[in-house]
Amino acid sequence: MLLYIYLIAITAEAMSGALAAGRRNMDIFGVGVIAFITALGGGTLRDVLLGNFPVSWTQHPEYIYLTVSAGLLTVVLARFMHHLHRLFLLLDAMGLVAFTIIGCNVALQLGYHTAIVLMAGMITGICGGVLRDILCQRVPVVLRHELYASVSLLVGILYLQLEQLGINHDLCLIASFAVGIILRVCAIYWHLSLPVFSYSPKQWK
């Protein structure tokens, strides 16, 4: 189940990357690069930091074809994308949760400490979007909008707690996935976010 969700997620993330590239008037090559980085950048960074070689997508070249094709397809379908906004939000939430769980699983299998496992989950979940925004010269969305990175952290904590309780692995996946989706959807619907730190030297004078 997680594999199918992962494939849907990297496709949706690639399309979101292509749209971001389009907002910066990039050429077709740039669109493909940003789509690929958005979809697979988080997992790549996780593998490099954890020393998990070879990097996952290098063993699955079909992921390259899928993400780049999804990015280029977005160029053709761009005029219809505003009709699919809600669907993209749901797919993005699915991607965030799926990437987080996958990242935690990878770190667990490598025998890392709990804190590292949680960080690996978050890196996998959010860093593709962070890289996208940096390359498109934007403040990363995950740091300034509704609860996003914090949802990834909570999903990771829940998943690890359920695993440590000895609950069936499939039930752990389903429960963590469901809670993560609900949290993210609620954050979007009610515009839930963490307190914002706004600093200006003038306000302290």
Side-chain angles (χ1 to χ4, degrees), residues 26-100:
M26 295 188 186
D27 62 20
I28 297 301
F29 181 79
V31 170
V33 169
I34 298 298
F36 171 78
I37 289 174
T38 304
L40 300 173
T44 300
L45 184 58
R46 175 206 65 221
D47 286 344
V48 170
L49 291 174
L50 296 182
N52 183 38
F53 299 109
V55 174
S56 57
W57 59 264
T58 63
Q59 306 306 297
H60 299 279
E62 61 272 17
Y63 294 170
I64 303 173
Y65 301 136
L66 176 61
T67 54
V68 173
S69 297
L72 298 179
L73 180 63
T74 305
V75 176
V76 179
L77 301 177
R79 68 181 67 184
F80 307 110
M81 285 300 174
H82 64 282
H83 296 299
L84 303 174
H85 180 65
R86 291 184 178 178
L87 175 61
F88 262 88
L89 288 176
L90 178 59
L91 292 176
D92 182 69
M94 291 173 61
L96 173 67
V97 178
F99 289 161
T100 299

